[in-house]
């Protein structure tokens, strides 16, 4: 980045000692200041170029008519929907099934995960019971175990489960969701609890005096008050599950059961050069749900992330 | 006055009572709706039904451990939700059960394998290994007849699970036999029909299986009819069987194997090796406890130790540089756009978080393509000819650049939020005190920002320390040199352990589990001290 300190103009008006003038300095901005922010625009555009050039490359490769890596460039040398057509009509690569599977896994998985996490956070935030503090610390500690190695044990477990209940065994999206839910409580409980703590306990007490049960307080009052963090956690876990790759690749062997990540990875590794166009087309469409979610809930995300985690 | 006062007291008491009645009547207004109670019991019933269905399936499969586990879960659910006690557990139970079964148990299992030699050729128990060695050595006894064979089950038992019976015809004298796992019995010839070759087509009391049904039976492959010590009748294909004899025998007393030539084998390092030390042993080994040997191997084996150290240094550098670079860029951009006069902030912000919204696997695979030496975008644009993924240092740079692109939007979001949360009055105070812009940034904004995002930086470090998918999808740990095919230039400890455990030439799961325990301790200690310092853990009130 540039060597210029972007914060140099943080305080707009040259400092003046007398307290009386400070009022105007902070209160309303003097006009004609436009030329003072041009360099901010310049730097921001530089940052945009850095942030967006790979995305432009994906778009350009996706509409590149010949669809190979060697012919792909930043500025497209032609536009066609050939790669998209190929993607929707390749019997060996059932892209539409992958898409449905991914939406199902990420949607159901993150809804359940938010609910489980919110229940646990309610208990940790509002109730006092033996093992509460050790439990919270143990959840934190557990997150530090490298989960990838535990996948072998997870695989064995689901092999056994599938023997009795094939509906949730290996090679099923429902089984994969179940496996993801093992981490539902651990991953988000700290973020959620931080936000739950900001809701005044007096509200609970008032409701209790009115005769409301704990379940009623939770479902009708607390859940509504913490909605912003629920949205944040839903988004984070949707994005996480939507782009999860490793466990899905171990679990889902049947090509019709696979998710976008596993399927597109197989497409890309089948022939790195040849299928690059279709891969980019698929990747572009695969990015849409997450991008839309982010742009739609940007404010919630910023608010939730900072308020929940930061004390 | 007295009366008056008394009257006041009386009216106070009356007021109190009426207020109390009000509270009571209020209590009456908030009742649990009937449908909520019904829904609760219906859900409980549903859980019970699903559980009982699972139990029934498990009994069919004969998995008693499974029955016990499902039974315990059902009991826990009933005990927690059908009574009014244990309110915290009502909220914790679903997450807790999933956590125990699908996260803690796999971790415990992994930790326990770190003390075994579980890995390629060492998967079975010792008894299973011996059985497999003996069964593998079965050879057709020369000069014995080949029987004509049909596969059947007893009438009334299902073809897919009933006990297998081999209906055999002795080619020399045409006698019929019924062979099961109990042994051979003569079969009465009345009612038996056979083809010209002697293969039985109908037999009273038996249902014959079609070839398709036989193929679907997984237990057919190693089915044999025992006929004596070390001998048995084994099917060849679907219509013949031979009498075979195991050439290897096991003596449990001396714990030795003896092959057909009388050569003896003794167990050593969980495998059978020749007693006299000459020649090859059997490749089939078994799992056994090895204590701390996997850990001492990591510390003492020169190639592993040297590799481990170099991976560790790169691993720490990778995590630290990733966190610092993403934080620095994210913070600069957040400060840049945190100006009330700037127009189009919303648009800039929306576009800047786009990299974070692209799924991670897409990013890694696209960047891997962009770093391609011959056709990649990076070399094309910069007119360089760097072998990005083939040279260790270039590959490291490529990984860090990719991670910077991937990670800075997160830091940007976090810093933007934290900056907006800093109250403006402290800045005003600094202004009044005569601080210039740089001083305000250094002494007011930065410390407040760091306090706010400190725990997130630690969490980000711990995440990047084990950032498996980025490395796996971008470089797979490579490049590898001819001199060292085990350890690549961009290997993290976790990708190294993964290769050891699963994808290597000689998967050694026990050793990989030991590596993962070491990783766990490194990450836990670093994060713990970080959290301690940032005091994030102190106010769990």
């Amino acid at each position: 980045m540039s060597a210029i300190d972007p914060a140099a103009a943080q305080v707009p008006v040259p400092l003046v000692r007398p307290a009386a003038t400070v009022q105007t300095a902070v209160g309303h901005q003097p006009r004609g200041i436009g030329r003072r922010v041009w360099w901010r625009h310049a730097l921001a555009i530089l940052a945009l170029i850095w942030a967006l050039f790979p995305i432009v490359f994906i778009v350009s490769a996706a509409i590149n008519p010949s669809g190979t890596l060697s012919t792909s460039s930043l500025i497209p040398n032609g536009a066609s929907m050939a790669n998209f057509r190929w993607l929707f009509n390749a019997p060996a690569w059932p892209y539409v099934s992958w898409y449905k599977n991914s939406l199902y896994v990420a949607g159901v998985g993150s809804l359940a995960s938010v609910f489980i996490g919110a229940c646990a956070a309610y208990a940790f935030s509002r109730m006092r019971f033996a093992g509460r503090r050790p439990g919270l610390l143990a959840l934190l500690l557990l997150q530090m175990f490298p989960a990838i190695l535990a996948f072998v044990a997870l695989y064995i477990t689901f092999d056994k489960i599938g023997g009795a209940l094939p509906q949730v065994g290996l090679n099923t999206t429902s089984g994969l969701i179940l496996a993801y839910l093992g981490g539902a409580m651990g991953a988000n409980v700290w973020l959620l609890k931080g936000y739950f703590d900001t809701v005044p306990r007096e509200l609970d007490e008032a409701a209790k005096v009115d005769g409301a049960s704990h379940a009623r307080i939770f479902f009708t009052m607390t859940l509504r008050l913490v909605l912003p963090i629920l949205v944040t956690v839903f988004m984070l876990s949707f994005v996480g599950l939507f782009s999860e790759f490793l466990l899905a690749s171990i679990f889902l062997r049947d090509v019709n059961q696979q998710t976008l990540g596993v399927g597109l990875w197989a497409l890309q590794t089948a022939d790195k050069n040849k299928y690059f166009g279709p891969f980019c087309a698929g990747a572009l469409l695969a990015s849409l749900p997450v991008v839309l979610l982010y742009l739609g809930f940007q404010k919630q995300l910023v608010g939730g992330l900072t308020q929940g985690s930061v004390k | 006055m007295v009366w008056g006062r008394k009257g006041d007291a009386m009216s106070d008491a009356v007021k109190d009572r009426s207020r109390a009645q009000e509270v009571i009547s209020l209590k009456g207004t908030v009742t649990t709706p009937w449908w909520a109670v019904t829904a609760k019991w219906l859900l409980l019933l549903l859980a019970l039904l699903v559980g009982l269905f699972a139990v029934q399936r498990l009994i069919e499969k004969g998995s008693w451990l499974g029955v016990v586990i499902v039974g315990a879960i059902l009991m826990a659910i009933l005990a927690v939700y059908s009574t009014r006690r244990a309110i915290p557990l009502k909220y914790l139970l679903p997450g807790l059960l999933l956590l125990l079964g699908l996260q803690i148990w796999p971790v415990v299992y992994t930790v326990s394998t770190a003390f075994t030699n579980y890995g390629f050729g060492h998967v079975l128990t010792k008894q299973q290994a011996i059985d497999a060695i003996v069964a593998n050595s079965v050879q057709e006894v020369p000069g014995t007849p080949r029987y004509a064979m049909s596969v059947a089950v007893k009438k009334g038992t299902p073809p897919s699970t009933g006990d297998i019976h081999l209906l055999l015809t002795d080619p020399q004298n045409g006698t019929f036999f019924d062979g099961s796992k109990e042994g051979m019995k003569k079969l009465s010839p009345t009612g038996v029909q056979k083809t010209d070759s002697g293969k039985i087509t109908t037999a009273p009391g038996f249902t014959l299986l079609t070839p398709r049904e036989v193929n679907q039976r997984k237990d057919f492959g190693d089915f044999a009819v025992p006929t004596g010590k070390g001998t048995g009748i084994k099917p060849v294909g679907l219509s013949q069987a031979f009498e075979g004899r195991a050439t290897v025998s096991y003596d449990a007393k001396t714990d030795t194997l003896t092959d057909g030539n009388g050569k003896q084998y003794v167990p050593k390092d969980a495998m059978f090796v020749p007693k006299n030390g000459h020649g090859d042993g059997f490749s089939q080994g078994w799992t056994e406890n090895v204590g701390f040997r996997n850990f001492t191997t990591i510390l003492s084996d020169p190639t592993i130790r040297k590799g481990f150290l170099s991976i560790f240094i790169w691993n720490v550098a990778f995590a630290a540089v990733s966190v610092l670079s993403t934080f620095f860029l994210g913070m600069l951009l957040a400060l840049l756009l945190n100006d009330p006069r700037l127009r189009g902030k919303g648009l800039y912000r929306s576009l800047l978080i786009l990299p974070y919204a692209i799924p991670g696997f897409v990013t890694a695979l696209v960047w891997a393509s962009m770093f391609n030496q011959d056709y990649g975008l990076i070399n094309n644009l910069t007119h360089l000819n760097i072998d990005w993924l083939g040279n260790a240092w270039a590959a490291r740079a490529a990984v860090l650049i990719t991670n910077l692109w991937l990670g800075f939007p997160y830091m940007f979001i976090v810093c933007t939020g934290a900056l907006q949360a800093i109250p403006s009055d402290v800045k005003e105070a600094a202004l009044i005190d005569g601080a210039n812009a740089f001083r305000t940034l250094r002494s007011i904004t930065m410390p407040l920002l760091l306090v706010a995002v400190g725990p997130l930086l630690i969490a980000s470090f711990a995440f990047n320390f084990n950032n498996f998918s980025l490395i796996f999808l971008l470089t797979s740990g490579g490049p590898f040199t001819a001199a060292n095919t085990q350890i690549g230039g961009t290997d993290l400890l976790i990708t190294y352990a993964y290769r050891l455990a699963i994808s290597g030439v000689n998967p050694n799961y026990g050793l990989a589990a030991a590596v993962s325990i070491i990783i766990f301790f490194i990450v836990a200690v670093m994060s713990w001290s970080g959290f301690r310092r940032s005091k994030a853990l102190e106010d769990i009130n």
Side-chain angles (χ1 to χ4, degrees):
Chain A
M1 287 306 299
S2 156
I4 309 164
D5 185 351
Q10 187 80 353
V11 182
V13 177
L15 280 172
V16 264
R17 209 63 26 107
T21 52
V22 169
Q23 197 66 25
T24 56
V26 181
H28 48 87
Q29 309 294 346
R31 276 174 214 124
I33 213 104
R35 62 205 164 82
R36 293 213 174 188
V37 290
W38 68 266
W39 62 269
R40 282 183 191 256
H41 282 291
L43 283 182
I45 286 166
L46 253 178
L48 281 190
I49 292 173
W50 154 249
L52 296 183
F53 87 96
I55 298 174
V56 172
F57 178 64
I58 298 177
V59 175
S60 134
I63 58 173
N64 175 19
S66 60
T68 59
L69 175 61
S70 48
T71 57
S72 298
S73 60
L74 204 53
I75 292 116
N77 42 15
S80 88
M81 294 312 245
N83 292 325
F84 293 93
R85 266 200 301 277
W86 186 94
L87 201 61
F88 287 112
N89 294 309
W93 313 96
Y95 185 75
V96 180
S97 301
W98 298 343
Y99 216 105
K100 278 188 207 146
N101 292 337
S102 279
L103 287 180
Y104 171 68
V105 168
V108 175
S110 34
L111 273 181
S113 157
V114 167
F115 181 70
I116 291 170
C119 287
Y122 180 65
F124 278 123
S125 167
R126 286 300 191 264
M127 298 166 191
R128 295 294 175 266
F129 50 91
R132 176 176 166 277
R133 201 186 136 90
L136 272 172
L137 294 182
L139 281 179
L140 190 66
L141 206 61
L142 196 64
Q143 302 309 308
M144 292 165 195
F145 192 85
I148 286 118
L149 266 286
F151 283 178
V152 172
L154 211 51
Y155 184 89
I156 296 171
T157 310
F158 271 87
D159 193 34
K160 294 255 159 63
I161 293 178
L165 294 168
Q167 295 86 346
V168 288
L170 291 175
N171 214 358
T172 63
T173 40
S174 305
L176 185 66
I177 292 177
L178 195 63
Y180 287 148
L181 287 184
M185 190 158 109
N188 303 320
V189 105
W190 278 78
L191 195 64
L192 285 163
K193 182 192 163 283
Y195 200 93
F196 275 64
D197 284 345
T198 62
V199 176
R201 288 177 75 95
E202 287 74 21
L203 290 176
D204 293 44
E205 272 145 31
K208 217 177 268 174
V209 168
D210 286 354
S213 68
H214 60 88
R216 192 179 176 118
I217 296 174
F218 175 63
F219 282 108
T220 61
M221 196 184 83
T222 315
L223 278 190
R224 279 186 206 171
L225 290 173
V226 298
L227 197 63
I229 194 70
L230 296 186
V231 172
T232 307
V233 168
F234 174 82
M235 278 180 56
L236 288 179
S237 75
F238 185 91
V239 174
L241 295 189
F242 196 78
S243 41
E244 203 281 335
F245 165 75
L246 192 73
L247 193 59
S249 76
I250 296 174
F251 263 56
L252 308 172
R253 291 269 159 232
D254 185 5
V255 76
N256 277 311
Q257 294 290 328
Q258 282 169 348
T259 55
L260 281 169
V262 185
L264 286 176
W265 181 68
L267 182 65
Q268 165 83 342
T269 41
D271 191 330
K272 209 170 196 168
N273 196 4
K274 195 168 133 205
Y275 294 127
F276 190 69
F279 166 77
C280 280
L284 199 64
L285 292 180
S287 309
L288 278 184
V290 182
V291 170
L292 291 180
L293 209 59
Y294 265 70
L295 296 184
F297 291 98
Q298 199 182 346
K299 276 224 175 72
Q300 304 263 20
L301 183 72
V302 174
L305 266 182
T306 40
Q307 287 177 48
S309 59
V310 176
K311 289 317 210 41
Chain B
M1 280 307 276
V2 173
W3 268 107
R5 214 188 288 161
K6 205 167 186 181
D8 281 355
M10 285 263 293
S11 68
D12 272 359
V14 170
K15 256 191 220 156
D16 274 358
R17 201 177 304 154
S18 69
R19 203 177 295 148
Q21 268 165 356
E22 219 172 70
V23 169
I24 289 165
S25 66
L26 257 179
K27 250 192 151 116
T29 59
V30 184
T31 48
T32 317
W34 62 270
W35 58 264
V37 181
T38 322
K40 175 189 152 181
W41 288 103
L42 280 179
L43 278 175
L44 261 181
L45 192 69
L46 187 73
L48 202 64
L49 286 178
V50 171
L52 288 179
F53 173 71
V55 165
Q56 187 224 334
R57 293 298 305 268
L58 285 166
I59 291 175
E60 267 175 34
K61 293 271 161 193
S63 165
W64 299 109
L65 182 68
V67 173
V68 170
I69 292 173
V70 174
I73 292 175
L74 278 182
M75 300 274 275
I77 290 175
L78 281 181
V80 167
Y81 290 105
S82 66
T83 63
R84 290 184 168 275
R85 312 172 56 129
I87 292 172
L89 261 184
K90 289 190 208 301
Y91 291 91
L92 292 173
L93 192 70
L96 207 57
L97 286 178
L98 288 165
L99 188 79
L100 277 174
L102 301 174
Q103 211 169 25
I104 293 184
W105 141 247
V107 167
V108 169
Y109 178 87
T110 310
V111 169
S112 67
T113 49
F115 302 96
T116 68
N117 61 349
Y118 187 86
F120 182 71
H122 294 275
V123 178
L124 305 173
T125 63
K126 187 171 180 184
Q127 190 55 50
Q128 283 170 329
I130 292 167
D131 290 347
I133 290 172
V134 172
N136 263 336
S137 73
V138 170
Q139 279 176 3
E140 193 167 354
V141 179
T144 54
R146 277 207 170 187
Y147 295 92
M149 175 193 80
S150 298
V151 185
V153 293
K154 282 263 188 208
K155 252 213 168 81
T157 54
S160 54
T161 51
D163 280 338
I164 294 178
H165 287 258
L166 300 184
L167 304 183
L168 304 163
T169 315
D170 190 324
Q172 282 157 339
N173 49 24
T175 336
F176 300 124
F177 292 98
D178 160 28
S180 67
K181 64 181 178 191
E182 274 89 39
M184 290 269 275
K185 279 191 309 211
K186 270 211 170 138
L187 188 67
S188 149
T190 41
V192 174
Q193 289 176 3
K194 62 181 177 77
T195 62
D196 292 343
S197 62
K199 190 173 153 76
I200 293 174
T201 50
T202 43
F206 290 99
T207 313
L208 267 71
L209 302 189
T210 62
R212 198 185 152 77
E213 285 169 334
V214 177
N215 276 330
Q216 277 168 354
R217 294 209 45 153
K218 282 181 190 152
D219 50 349
F220 185 68
D222 39 69
F223 180 80
V225 182
T227 53
K229 194 172 159 37
T231 62
I233 290 183
K234 265 191 87 68
V236 210
L238 294 177
S239 48
Q240 278 195 321
F242 67 80
E243 178 152 26
R245 176 181 294 282
T247 52
V248 176
S249 63
Y250 175 67
D251 183 17
K253 250 185 225 154
T254 53
D255 198 16
T256 50
L257 287 176
T258 313
D259 71 5
N261 306 325
K263 192 169 172 183
Q264 289 194 317
Y265 297 84
V266 289
K268 185 175 178 256
D269 287 344
M271 287 169 112
F272 277 106
V273 295
K275 198 175 183 180
N276 57 16
H278 297 294
D280 293 332
F282 293 101
S283 61
Q284 180 67 59
W286 59 90
T287 312
E288 69 175 15
N289 267 330
V290 295
F292 284 91
R293 201 174 68 197
N294 288 322
F295 294 92
T296 51
T297 307
I298 295 170
L299 296 177
S300 59
D301 185 299
T303 49
I304 293 184
R305 188 180 58 191
K306 196 161 155 276
F308 199 86
L309 199 68
S310 70
I311 295 175
F312 178 71
I313 292 168
W314 156 243
N315 203 154
V316 172
F318 165 76
V321 172
S322 291
V323 172
L324 290 179
S325 63
T326 53
F327 174 65
F328 201 65
L329 183 55
M331 184 191 69
L332 285 184
L333 290 175
L335 287 170
L336 184 73
L337 296 184
N338 192 38
D339 185 325
R341 296 161 306 161
L342 195 69
R343 287 192 178 188
K345 279 194 296 261
L347 184 67
Y348 283 132
R349 282 185 182 142
S350 300
L351 290 175
L352 279 177
I353 64 168
L354 272 184
Y356 192 48
I358 305 282
F361 60 88
V362 170
T363 309
L365 292 171
V366 167
W367 277 85
S369 300
M370 294 203 303
F371 280 120
N372 187 305
Q373 185 182 9
D374 302 318
Y375 316 117
L377 184 70
I378 309 278
N379 276 352
N380 279 349
L381 284 183
T382 53
H383 297 291
L384 294 170
N385 187 25
I386 299 174
D387 186 5
W388 284 102
L389 302 178
N391 173 299
W393 284 105
R396 282 173 197 152
V399 167
L400 287 172
I401 292 172
T402 309
N403 211 17
L404 175 62
W405 189 80
L406 251 175
F408 86 89
Y410 172 74
M411 294 294 182
F412 171 67
I413 294 173
V414 167
C415 288
T416 302
L419 282 178
Q420 286 169 353
I422 293 177
S424 58
D425 51 358
V426 289
K427 280 192 215 157
E428 281 168 32
L431 194 67
I432 293 167
D433 284 351
N436 64 16
F438 180 71
R439 186 62 199 265
T440 312
L441 175 72
R442 192 168 64 93
S443 310
I444 306 286
T445 314
M446 281 297 288
L448 286 172
L449 187 70
L450 279 177
V451 165
V453 301
L456 291 177
L457 293 185
I458 299 163
S460 169
F461 181 86
F463 169 80
N464 274 308
F465 196 87
N466 284 330
N467 197 338
F468 177 85
S469 48
L470 176 76
I471 302 286
F472 181 74
L473 291 174
L474 198 61
T475 65
S476 305
F480 299 93
T481 56
N484 195 345
T485 54
Q486 289 293 309
I487 292 161
T490 55
D491 251 334
L492 301 182
L493 289 173
I494 188 71
T495 54
Y496 172 65
Y498 177 81
R499 204 165 330 101
L500 267 183
I502 294 162
S503 62
V505 196
N506 244 343
N508 188 341
Y509 192 65
L511 187 62
V515 174
S516 71
I517 289 178
I518 293 178
I519 298 174
F520 168 72
F521 275 111
I522 294 169
V523 175
V525 165
M526 287 198 282
S527 316
W528 202 259
S529 59
F531 279 124
R532 264 274 132 85
R533 200 164 293 174
S534 74
K535 305 198 167 148
L537 294 180
E538 269 175 23
D539 46 24
I540 312 171
N541 43 23

